[in-house]
């Protein structure tokens, strides 16, 4: 079913409040058989009329037009009588009495947009929207940033390059004989060749109290405009017998006077409950939401989005164009600007009106693809090769697991234990410093804080091989690449087309109290040095399982904060959610916290994602891997089937993966844009595969995973201050922090060699 949305900048008021001068077409669009406004006879018009009567009258098609219109009065001319009220018929859907009353007023400007229903193509948090739907892209006059506004080519390009449910915007103006035409504004000469076709038919009218001269659509019949290039609503009109009408009130400049109420739009904005009596939503200039100062820097957002949603109104933002100057905060990246309106943690508009619809289409498309130590399924994790490959594969966000060396250099490593991801266990210098740190792990490890950056960067990387026995990863490059410091990582990321960077901070309490390393301060200093404190592109995401770390960052920064839940959960309490919201914007959970499995069969689906998203917390999920051993049987050993189910059915906001290329290829799958989803692209159903197994052969029932409670979330104490000097390791007497005897080290080395060679 198609939807007609009509925007206007005029409120619904009693007839006596309507101005007598020209206002652009009214706010309601309905299907009408015919409408004949009272003409304003002039010599030039009479000449046109005589010429038109000599030609065969073209059959009139159903037009999209206003329910009523008041004719203008020409400057220095006697006022004309009010136009006759057109007979109207709303095709599909009920229109409330208040809305119909609104349709009888004189509008300041009206635009129509028509769209076909299509499968949802976005996965942004739907709870941020008044109707629970993802934001829509509205193509202003089609792809008017490239082709003439409202031209056929403009509309066609918008449909070919944007989301399948992109809405086409038509700024409706009426001809003298009541036909609707698409124009960017009230004057024909601003967007057509009418001045060259009819050079003598320009007039001057009062438009909202201001004299305006030019060629007006109401001075011409549809037949008169046969040689003028413009957009007609003929094709739209044929489809309106199966539409419903939605009225949207359009706000103009905040200090402009709304012609019906005679008050400013800024004042009307304070009375949204009044707007709700006759409109389903509002359209506002983008600066109503994110004000921009005279120096072109963004100021703190207003409450207009949340106020509109509280009033039950949809809200759309306008004035987006890629080739116009906008706030420096966005570094001239329009994608980042759109994301600030549709993908922040506090609110989201219900749609954006753009001259370049391809850009918001890309911004809205979800989920985010987040690398896990770069493309660590292809190259050794946290190496230059893995990060370069992740960007090449189309990752939206690349990550750095931040570790700190003994000389306080932050670096990117898969783990604080160099035994993971490097060949340190094979090197005598590193093997000799193997120790046990119970605060980190109960097994022996070779920890990064015991070595300088100069020592570590010369280590040989080792590729992650979770399933080495049957499916080893990229053997030819299992030891390729070089490690990067955090500074090198950030400098590389700044030059790439990324949504953001993700920094993971762990073991902050131990490093602070036992090693004298303030990892949080070190990371913030490096971010500032790299210029990320003044940048919005790429964005900075910081992840931690320690609430104390995130709480401190929430007080000190504006970065996006992700709380990592490092255990499988079956539910989350409301109090725990509220606590998480106090220090984080998003939550990272594992796959089994969404789909419970038993012997690799999916047995149930939790409501964890739904509950977190309903609290305006984005949900990212780990860890997606291509090897079939990492997937439930229900996904048929196909990583794309798994991704599709988590994205389409579980509605997660992002995937964390060793193979960002696989996730990116999934996002680009054109099958997802079809109006009817093919069977092979539908998500798997919970328990469907298990149902093929006879009951006596099914896996035995198992206890549910624990529930995430308030105690789990706030268990960490506040982040302690950094100790003046590192705590020296105790003597070799079997105490907590101790080195491992050489014979044990050799045994461990042999074990590692056996595993990885």
């Amino acid at each position: 079913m198609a939807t007609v949305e009509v925007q206007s900048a005029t409120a619904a008021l009693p007839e006596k409040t309507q101005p007598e001068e020209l206002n652009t077409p009214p706010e309601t669009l309905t299907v009408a058989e015919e409408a004949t406004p009272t003409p304003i006879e002039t010599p030039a018009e009479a000449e046109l009329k005589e010429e038109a009567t000599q030609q065969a009258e073209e059959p009139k098609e159903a037009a999209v037009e206003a329910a009523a219109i008041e004719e203008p009065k020409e400057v220095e001319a006697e006022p004309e009588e009010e136009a006759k009220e057109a007979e109207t018929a709303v095709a599909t859907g009920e229109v409330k009495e208040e809305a119909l009353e609104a349709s009888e007023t004189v509008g300041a400007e009206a635009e129509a947009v028509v769209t076909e229903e299509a499968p949802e193509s976005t996965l942004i948090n739907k709870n941020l929207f008044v109707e629970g739907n993802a934001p829509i892209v509205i193509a202003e006059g089609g792809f008017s940033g490239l082709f003439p506004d409202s031209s056929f080519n403009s509309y066609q390009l918008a449909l070919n390059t944007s989301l399948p449910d992109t809405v086409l915007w038509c700024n409706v103006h009426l001809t003298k004989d009541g036909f609707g035409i698409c124009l960017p504004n009230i004057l024909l000469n601003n967007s057509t060749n009418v001045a060259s076709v009819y050079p003598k038919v320009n007039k001057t009218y009062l438009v909202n109290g201001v004299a305006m001269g030019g060629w007006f659509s109401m001075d011409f019949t549809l037949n008169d405009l046969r040689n003028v290039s413009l957009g007609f609503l003929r094709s739209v009109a044929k489809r309106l017998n199966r539409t419903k009408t939605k009225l949207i009130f359009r706000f103009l400049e905040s200090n402009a006077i709304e012609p019906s109420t005679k008050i400013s739009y800024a004042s009307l904005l304070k009375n949204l409950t009044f707007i709700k009596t006759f409109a389903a939503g509002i359209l506002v200039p983008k600066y109503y939401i994110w004000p921009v100062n005279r120096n072109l820097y963004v100021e703190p957002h207003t409450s207009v989005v949340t106020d509109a949603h509280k009033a039950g109104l949809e809200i759309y933002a306008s004035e987006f164009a890629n080739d116009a100057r906008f706030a420096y905060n966005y570094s001239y990246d329009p994608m980042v600007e759109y994301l600030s309106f549709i993908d922040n943690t506090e609110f989201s508009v219900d749609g954006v009106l753009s001259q370049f619809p391809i850009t918001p289409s890309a911004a809205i498309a979800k989920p985010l693809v987040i690398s896990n130590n770069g493309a660590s399924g292809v190259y050794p994790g946290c190496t230059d090769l893995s990060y370069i490959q992740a960007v090449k594969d189309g990752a939206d966000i690349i990550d750095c697991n931040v570790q700190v060396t003994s000389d306080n250099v932050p670096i990117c490593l898969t783990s604080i234990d160099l035994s993971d991801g490097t060949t340190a266990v094979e090197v005598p210098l590193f093997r000799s410093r193997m120790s046990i740190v119970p605060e980190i792990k109960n097994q022996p490890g070779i920890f990064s804080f015991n070595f300088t950056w100069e020592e570590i960067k010369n280590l040989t990387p080792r590729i992650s091989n979770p399933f080495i026995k049957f499916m080893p990863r990229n053997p030819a490059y299992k030891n390729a690449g070089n490690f990067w410091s955090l500074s090198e990582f950030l400098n590389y990321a700044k030059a790439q087309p990324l949504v953001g960077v993700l920094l993971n901070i762990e073991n902050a309490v131990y490093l602070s109290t036992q090693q004298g390393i303030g990892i949080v301060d070190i990371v913030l200093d490096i971010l500032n040095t790299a210029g990320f404190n003044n940048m919005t592109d790429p964005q900075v995401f910081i992840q931690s399982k320690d609430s104390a770390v995130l709480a401190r960052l929430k007080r000190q920064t504006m970065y996006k904060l992700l709380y990592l839940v490092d255990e499988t959960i079956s539910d989350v309490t409301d109090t725990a959610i509220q606590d998480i919201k106090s220090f984080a914007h998003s939550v990272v959970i594992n796959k089994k916290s969404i789909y419970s499995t038993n012997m690799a069969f999916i047995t149930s689906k939790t409501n964890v994602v739904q509950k977190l998203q309903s609290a305006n917390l984005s949900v990212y999920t780990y860890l997606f891997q291509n090897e079939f051993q990492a997937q439930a049987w229900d996904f048929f050993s196909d990583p794309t089937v798994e991704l599709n189910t988590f994205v389409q059915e579980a509605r997660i906001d992002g995937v964390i993966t060793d193979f960002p290329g696989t996730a990116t290829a999934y996002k680009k799958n054109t099958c997802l844009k079809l109006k009817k989803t093919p069977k092979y692209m539908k998500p798997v159903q919970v328990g469907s595969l298990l149902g093929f197994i006879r009951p006596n052969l099914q896996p035995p029932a198992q206890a549910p995973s624990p529930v995430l409670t308030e105690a789990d979330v706030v268990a960490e104490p506040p982040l302690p201050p950094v100790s003046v000097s590192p705590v020296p390791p105790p003597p070799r007497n079997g105490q907590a922090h101790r080195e491992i005897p050489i014979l044990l080290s050799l045994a461990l080395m042999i074990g590692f060699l056996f595993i990885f060679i």
Side-chain angles (χ1 to χ4, degrees):
M1 180 179 293
T3 300
V4 177
E5 299 185 5
V6 186
Q7 289 80 23
S8 175
T10 299
L13 296 173
E15 186 175 351
K16 65 181 181 180
T17 66
Q18 304 301 323
E20 294 184 355
E21 66 265 16
L22 173 66
N23 293 289
T24 52
E27 66 273 29
T28 184
L29 288 185
T30 58
V31 178
E33 292 298 325
E34 184 177 358
T36 310
T38 303
I40 303 175
E41 197 72 15
T42 65
E45 188 179 28
E47 180 182 345
L48 273 175
K49 185 174 182 181
E50 182 178 356
E51 178 186 348
T53 55
Q54 297 174 0
Q55 303 172 5
E57 184 176 356
E58 296 181 2
K60 291 183 180 179
E61 299 178 7
V64 179
E65 61 186 53
I69 184 168
E70 185 179 359
E71 278 294 330
K73 65 176 183 179
E74 193 167 352
V75 175
E76 300 180 358
E78 292 295 324
E80 297 292 333
E81 64 175 313
E82 293 184 355
K84 296 180 180 179
E85 190 170 88
E87 295 182 359
T88 63
V90 178
T92 305
E94 296 182 2
V95 179
K96 294 182 179 180
E97 182 178 353
E98 300 89 86
L100 290 176
E101 291 175 358
S103 72
E104 297 174 358
T105 66
V106 177
E109 189 167 356
E111 294 83 30
V113 286
V114 180
T115 181
E116 294 282 357
E117 282 190 356
E120 294 176 358
S121 54
T122 64
L123 291 170
I124 290 175
N125 189 348
K126 295 184 175 184
N127 297 287
L128 296 178
F129 312 109
V130 70
E131 289 190 347
N133 297 317
I136 61 173
V137 175
I138 307 171
E140 184 177 356
F143 209 124
S144 55
L146 186 60
F147 286 106
D149 191 296
S150 304
S151 65
F152 175 82
N153 287 338
S154 183
Y155 285 129
Q156 190 63 49
L157 184 62
L159 292 175
N160 290 343
T161 60
S162 308
L163 290 171
D165 52 354
T166 292
V167 173
L168 297 181
W169 166 283
C170 174
N171 195 352
V172 181
H173 295 273
L174 300 181
T175 62
K176 184 165 59 177
D177 51 345
F179 282 87
I181 58 176
C182 302
L183 293 171
N185 54 58
I186 191 172
L187 293 175
L188 281 166
N189 51 293
N190 281 351
S191 57
T192 74
N193 61 342
V194 66
S196 60
V197 178
Y198 299 111
K200 300 179 180 180
V201 194
N202 60 310
K203 293 185 179 181
T204 301
Y205 291 108
L206 287 176
V207 180
N208 293 337
V210 179
M212 181 179 292
W215 284 256
F216 294 82
S217 62
M218 60 177 49
D219 293 330
F220 301 86
T221 66
L222 188 62
N223 191 46
D224 297 333
L225 300 175
R226 67 193 183 279
N227 294 322
V228 176
S229 57
L230 41 73
F232 291 91
L233 288 179
R234 292 184 173 187
S235 60
V236 172
K238 295 177 181 178
R239 298 161 57 187
L240 290 182
N241 61 345
R242 52 189 179 90
T243 68
K244 61 181 180 181
T245 301
K246 182 182 291 184
L247 302 178
I248 306 296
F249 182 82
R250 185 178 190 183
F251 283 79
L252 302 182
E253 299 293 328
S254 58
N255 59 354
I257 301 300
E258 196 280 324
S260 296
T261 61
K262 305 298 184 184
I263 62 176
S264 68
Y265 287 99
S267 298
L268 277 177
L269 195 64
K270 300 176 182 178
N271 194 4
L272 293 178
T273 54
F274 167 63
I275 305 297
K276 178 61 178 174
T277 63
F278 60 87
I282 59 176
L283 173 68
V284 301
K286 61 185 180 182
Y287 72 84
Y288 272 50
I289 301 169
W290 286 104
V292 177
N293 62 30
R294 61 180 58 188
N295 295 321
L296 282 184
Y297 285 97
V298 172
E299 297 182 338
H301 67 77
T302 68
S303 62
V304 62
V305 175
T306 52
D307 292 344
H309 287 166
K310 287 178 181 178
L313 290 165
E314 299 172 13
I315 180 167
Y316 303 90
S318 64
E319 299 188 4
F320 290 94
N322 293 6
D323 56 359
R325 290 182 65 188
F326 47 99
Y328 294 124
N329 305 68
Y330 305 122
S331 302
Y332 295 121
D333 186 345
M335 173 76 75
V336 178
E337 183 182 36
Y338 285 111
L339 288 171
S340 72
F341 286 83
I342 64 176
D343 193 24
N344 69 71
T345 58
E346 299 183 49
F347 64 84
S348 177
V349 297
D350 298 280
V352 292
L353 178 65
S354 173
Q355 296 179 11
F356 295 80
I358 189 174
T359 307
S361 295
I364 291 174
K366 287 285 181 173
L368 288 174
V369 175
I370 306 171
S371 72
N372 180 54
N373 302 318
S376 55
V378 182
Y379 293 107
C382 295
T383 61
D384 54 350
L385 294 181
S386 68
Y387 289 128
I388 293 170
Q389 185 65 40
V391 171
K392 181 180 178 181
D393 286 343
D396 298 305
I397 298 172
I398 58 174
D399 68 305
C400 171
N401 235 341
V402 182
Q403 314 300 339
V404 182
T405 65
S406 61
D407 50 346
N408 282 346
V409 178
I411 61 177
C412 300
L413 285 175
T414 59
S415 170
I416 195 172
D417 182 1
L418 299 175
S419 302
D420 300 328
T422 80
T423 59
V425 73
E426 304 170 21
V427 181
L429 170 67
F430 289 86
R431 190 171 63 247
S432 66
R433 300 184 200 174
M434 185 176 288
S435 60
I436 295 176
V437 181
E439 295 92 337
I440 298 177
K441 58 188 296 189
N442 292 322
Q443 294 78 33
I446 304 173
F447 299 104
S448 60
F449 50 76
N450 288 326
F451 303 89
T452 66
W453 171 227
E454 191 67 27
E455 292 171 325
I456 291 176
K457 71 180 181 181
N458 292 318
L459 277 173
T460 300
R462 174 180 279 134
I463 198 169
S464 169
N465 262 313
F467 311 103
I468 188 172
K469 186 174 181 180
F470 297 105
M471 302 183 75
R473 290 177 172 176
N474 202 3
Y477 294 90
K478 65 179 181 180
N479 299 119
N482 299 292
F483 293 118
W484 272 351
S485 67
L486 178 58
S487 294
E488 291 171 317
F489 170 84
L490 293 174
N491 288 333
Y492 171 74
K494 282 196 300 185
Q496 308 308 316
L498 295 167
V499 172
V501 293
L502 172 64
L503 309 183
N504 186 53
I505 297 178
E506 303 298 348
N507 304 303
V509 173
Y510 172 80
L511 292 173
S512 177
T513 59
Q514 302 300 312
Q515 297 296 325
I517 296 174
I519 186 171
V520 174
D521 290 328
I522 290 173
V523 168
L524 292 180
D525 288 344
I526 294 296
L527 284 169
N528 291 341
T529 301
F532 279 80
N533 57 325
N534 296 318
M535 295 174 59
T536 58
D537 177 27
Q539 300 179 67
V540 175
F541 299 77
I542 299 182
Q543 171 184 287
S544 182
K545 63 182 179 183
D546 299 327
S547 61
V549 171
L550 299 178
R552 179 179 170 187
L553 290 168
K554 183 74 175 291
R555 293 190 299 268
Q556 293 184 235
T557 74
M558 297 295 291
Y559 299 139
K560 300 291 183 68
L561 305 178
L562 284 63
Y563 180 57
L564 172 64
V565 180
D566 61 348
E567 63 175 336
T568 299
I569 60 175
S570 61
D571 201 355
V572 55
T573 65
D574 292 339
T575 53
I577 291 175
Q578 292 306 311
D579 285 332
I580 293 172
K581 287 192 65 175
S582 69
F583 58 78
H585 306 109
S586 307
V587 180
V588 180
I589 58 177
N590 64 29
K591 295 187 295 185
K592 291 186 178 180
S593 294
I594 302 174
Y595 288 104
S596 301
T597 61
N598 189 351
M599 295 181 65
F601 290 98
I602 294 178
T603 57
S604 63
K605 177 175 175 287
T606 72
N607 64 349
V608 172
V609 174
Q610 179 183 357
K611 292 181 72 172
L612 292 171
Q613 289 179 341
S614 66
N616 294 338
L617 288 166
S618 299
V619 179
Y620 306 111
T621 304
Y622 71 97
L623 177 64
F624 289 87
Q625 299 168 310
N626 286 2
E627 293 92 350
F628 74 90
Q629 298 99 320
Q631 304 152 18
W633 295 118
D634 304 65
F635 300 128
F636 312 113
S637 303
D638 188 336
T640 299
V641 175
E642 181 184 42
L643 284 165
N644 188 57
T645 301
F646 276 88
V647 171
Q648 298 293 337
E649 181 68 22
R651 299 286 177 181
I652 61 175
D653 298 288
V655 299
I656 300 174
T657 173
D658 287 352
F659 298 89
T662 301
T664 302
Y666 163 74
K667 282 180 62 174
K668 295 179 179 178
N669 194 320
T670 57
C671 296
L672 297 173
K673 300 180 181 180
L674 298 176
K675 293 183 179 180
K676 184 176 181 180
T677 304
K679 291 182 179 180
Y680 52 82
M681 289 304 296
K682 291 183 177 179
V684 302
Q685 299 303 306
V686 173
S688 58
L689 191 59
L690 199 61
F692 286 96
I693 303 175
R694 287 183 295 178
N696 62 316
L697 297 178
Q698 291 188 5
Q702 60 183 13
S705 299
V707 176
L708 188 68
T709 66
E710 181 182 11
D712 301 314
V713 174
V714 298
E716 299 93 351
L719 200 62
V722 178
S723 62
V724 177
S725 60
V727 176
R732 299 181 185 178
N733 56 3
Q735 297 301 314
H737 185 120
R738 60 189 185 275
E739 296 184 354
I740 304 300
I742 187 65
L743 291 178
L744 178 57
S745 299
L746 289 174
L748 288 169
M749 180 188 72
I750 294 172
F752 277 110
L753 291 175
F754 177 77
I755 291 174
F756 291 108
I757 294 179

